[in-house]
Amino acid sequence: MPETTDLKEAVASERQRELAVEHLLFHTLVYVEHKHPGLIDHLEGSLERLGDRAHDETKDDEAVKGVARLFLESLRKSAAL
C-alpha cells in the first residue's frame, strides 16, 4: 500500500507544480504582450516547429500543437481585456 500512496503523492505534486508554472507563465506572457504587442503572434508562428518528444506509441505532435493553440487562444482573450 505505501507504494500506491507514494505514487499518488508524486502525481499530485507534479500536477500542482504544472498548474503553478502554467499560471505564472500565462500571466507573464499576458504582461509581456501588453508591453510588446506581437508576442502572441510570434509564438503562434513558432507552432510549426513544435512537436512531441516521445519516442513511443504515445507520440502525438498534433495533440501538443492543439494544447499550444488553446493556450494561445486563452492568452489572446486575456491580453485583450
Side-chain angles (χ1 to χ4, degrees):
M1 235 10 152
E3 292 175 8
T4 302
T5 302
D6 290 345
L7 180 58
K8 284 182 181 180
E9 288 176 4
V11 169
S13 178
E14 182 64 29
R15 182 188 69 246
Q16 293 158 357
R17 212 171 17 260
E18 180 181 330
L19 289 167
V21 168
E22 183 176 315
H23 173 84
L24 294 172
L25 175 62
F26 184 89
H27 287 280
T28 299
L29 291 171
V30 169
Y31 176 82
V32 173
E33 175 67 23
H34 284 153
K35 298 290 184 181
H36 303 282
L39 173 68
I40 296 172
D41 292 336
H42 176 76
L43 292 172
E44 190 170 48
S46 74
L47 293 185
E48 66 189 41
R49 296 183 303 277
L50 179 61
D52 189 338
R53 293 184 182 177
H55 297 289
D56 60 14
E57 67 279 353
T58 65
K59 182 176 179 66
D60 190 341
D61 292 337
E62 287 308 312
V64 173
K65 290 175 185 176
V67 170
R69 285 185 193 101
L70 290 173
F71 192 87
L72 290 171
E73 183 180 322
S74 293
L75 275 175
R76 283 190 194 285
K77 288 178 182 175
S78 290
L81 298 177

